[in-house]
């Protein structure tokens, strides 16, 4: 919009922020409320067999006692389809209470899943004592080693392509098949994809603008995403943004799609919007006190967006439940940063 077309006393910055806030609300409406409601109906077709990287998973009847052993997206996929697991892997300490806020909201008044720790290894005896009729392990990094034991307890669903390689759409649809809710899964995917499209269409100012994003470890080590295939990068790209070329050439780390950014390379993080996530206040204070950090153009003009861990997780491990949360939290922040 040209300046002459803007109504008196209303600047472009205020319009951009208002648009971002408006889209955040519209996203929730488009996705539907995440609270527990009537569960989607079963397709009623069993047995079903779902192919996976660890082998086929055959489910003879509609699962009644589901256990999820993956980190973030397994429980999300089940909950998005109206199934509350009897037990689930506890999330890392950086997530208060061991379960995400979007999962809590979806569970609503239903009994909470029993959470079990996996830091010392998968608790096979505990899982067996729960008498599951389906184990979902699409988001479990150690499934290749533990698949034999878990599948001896109950049919166990692995990923299609390997840990952290399936898209949220693939995971939702495959979990839907195993639960006998393939139609509900397809409807859920279509609804969330529509919300993402709506967010992009209602924020045309995002198109072509550059971004960088990455986590900061508790000790203050700065990472940045250096691959367009990373889930966080895809999330922001779906909104029309472009991963900054300045980080694409950075040498990778042991974690795929990430690079450590030493103090002398901090300027490579500059972009139209620069996002860093922090798990504690001390690491943020350490990074922001670094003189070379303060000299980054995005920081100097106010286009630097610090976010807390939960928001970062919602877009780094996207699911049918976390995406609405991530859109609601990030769109206003990005819109504000792009006005500066």
């Amino acid at each position: 919009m040209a300046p002459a077309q803007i109504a008196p006393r209303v600047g472009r910055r205020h319009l951009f922020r208002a648009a971002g806030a408006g889209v955040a609300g519209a996203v929730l409406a488009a996705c539907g409320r995440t609270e527990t409601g009537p569960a989607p109906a079963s397709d009623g077709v069993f047995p079903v067999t779902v192919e996976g990287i660890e082998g086929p998973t055959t489910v003879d009847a509609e699962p009644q006692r589901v256990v999820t052993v993956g980190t973030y997206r397994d429980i999300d996929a089940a909950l998005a389809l109206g199934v509350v697991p009897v037990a689930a892997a506890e999330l890392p300490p950086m997530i208060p209470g061991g379960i995400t806020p979007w999962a809590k909201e979806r569970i609503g008044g239903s009994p909470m899943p029993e959470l079990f720790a996996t830091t010392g290894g998968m608790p096979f005896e505990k899982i067996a004592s729960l008498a599951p009729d389906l184990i979902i392990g699409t988001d479990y990094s150690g499934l290749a080693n533990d698949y034999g034991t878990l599948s001896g307890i109950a049919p166990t669903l692995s990923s299609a392509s390997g840990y952290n390689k399936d898209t949220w759409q693939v995971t939702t649809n495959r979990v839907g098949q195993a639960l006998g809710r393939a139609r509900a899964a397809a409807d859920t995917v279509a609804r969330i994809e529509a919300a993402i499209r709506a967010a992009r269409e209602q924020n045309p100012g995002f198109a072509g603008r550059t971004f960088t994003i990455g986590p900061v470890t508790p000790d203050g080590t700065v990472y940045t995403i250096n691959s367009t295939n990373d889930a966080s990068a895809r999330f922001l790209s779906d909104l029309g943004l472009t991963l900054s070329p300045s980080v694409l050439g950075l040498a990778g780390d042991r974690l795929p799609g990430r690079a450590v950014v030493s103090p002398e390379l901090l300027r490579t993080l500059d972009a139209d919007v620069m996002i860093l996530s922090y798990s504690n206040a001390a690491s943020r204070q350490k990074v922001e006190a670094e003189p070379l950090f303060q000299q980054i153009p995005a920081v100097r003009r106010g286009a630097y967006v610090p976010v807390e861990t939960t928001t970062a997780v919602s877009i780094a491990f996207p699911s049918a439940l976390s995406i609405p949360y991530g859109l609601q939290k990030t769109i206003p922040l990005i819109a504000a940063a792009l006005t500066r």
Side-chain angles (χ1 to χ4, degrees):
M1 179 180 292
Q5 294 176 287
I6 298 176
R9 302 182 66 182
V10 180
R12 179 178 180 274
R13 175 175 300 184
H14 296 90
L15 289 177
F16 211 152
R17 289 178 176 172
V23 171
V27 163
L28 296 182
C31 294
R33 295 182 64 82
T34 58
E35 295 172 357
T36 299
S42 167
D43 296 338
V45 180
F46 287 95
V48 295
T49 298
V50 185
E51 297 296 331
I53 194 169
E54 300 299 336
T57 300
T58 298
V59 184
D60 292 326
E62 182 176 1
Q64 302 297 316
R65 296 183 60 80
V66 175
V67 172
T68 61
V69 297
T71 308
Y72 295 105
R73 291 160 286 199
D74 286 342
I75 186 172
D76 284 7
L79 291 172
L81 300 176
V83 174
V84 179
V86 295
E90 183 179 43
L91 299 186
M94 60 187 182
I95 302 297
I99 190 168
T100 60
W102 50 89
K104 285 182 181 178
E105 184 181 4
R106 185 63 181 88
I107 292 168
S110 299
M112 289 288 292
E114 183 176 349
L115 301 180
F116 53 85
T118 60
T119 51
M122 192 59 62
F124 300 115
E125 291 185 4
K126 173 64 177 177
I127 293 171
S129 72
L130 295 167
D133 45 24
L134 175 65
I135 298 171
I136 300 176
T138 68
D139 201 22
Y140 173 36
S141 61
L143 187 61
N145 294 326
D146 292 344
Y147 183 80
T149 305
L150 288 171
S151 61
I153 298 172
T156 300
L157 182 67
S158 66
S159 64
S161 305
Y163 173 68
N164 209 27
K165 294 183 179 179
D166 295 350
T167 65
W168 66 270
Q169 294 98 324
V170 168
T171 297
T172 303
N173 282 319
R174 294 180 70 255
V175 171
Q177 293 172 32
L179 293 173
R181 301 185 181 196
R183 288 177 296 181
D187 290 344
T188 298
V189 168
R191 186 172 67 253
I192 302 303
E193 288 180 336
I196 296 171
R197 287 194 301 271
R200 179 170 182 154
E201 291 167 359
Q202 294 177 48
N203 283 284
F206 288 11
R209 305 296 290 275
T210 59
F211 72 91
T212 58
I213 185 171
V216 178
T217 62
D219 66 0
T221 302
V222 178
Y223 283 82
T224 192
I225 301 303
N226 64 350
S227 170
T228 56
N229 291 324
D230 179 85
S232 297
R234 288 199 302 266
F235 178 95
L236 295 172
S237 296
D238 284 344
L239 296 178
L241 298 161
T242 300
L243 184 61
S244 174
S246 65
V247 298
L248 294 177
L250 294 179
D253 187 63
R254 61 182 180 83
L255 297 174
R258 295 183 180 184
V260 174
V261 184
S262 57
E264 61 271 16
L265 291 177
L266 283 171
R267 194 178 178 89
T268 61
L269 299 180
D270 185 43
D272 291 325
V273 58
M274 171 184 154
I275 305 171
L276 288 176
S277 64
Y278 299 91
S279 58
N280 60 51
S283 61
R284 177 176 173 180
Q285 183 177 16
K286 179 180 179 180
V287 170
E288 293 180 350
E290 169 62 51
L292 291 174
F293 180 85
Q294 296 171 8
Q295 294 172 22
I296 299 172
V299 175
R300 293 174 65 87
R301 70 174 181 273
Y304 155 58
V305 178
V307 298
E308 39 71 43
T309 298
T310 304
T311 296
V313 164
S314 72
I315 65 177
F317 301 92
S319 70
L321 282 191
S322 75
I323 289 173
Y325 183 97
L327 291 173
Q328 181 190 24
K329 292 291 186 178
T330 60
I331 285 176
L333 298 175
I334 295 170
L338 290 176
T339 66
R340 297 169 179 154

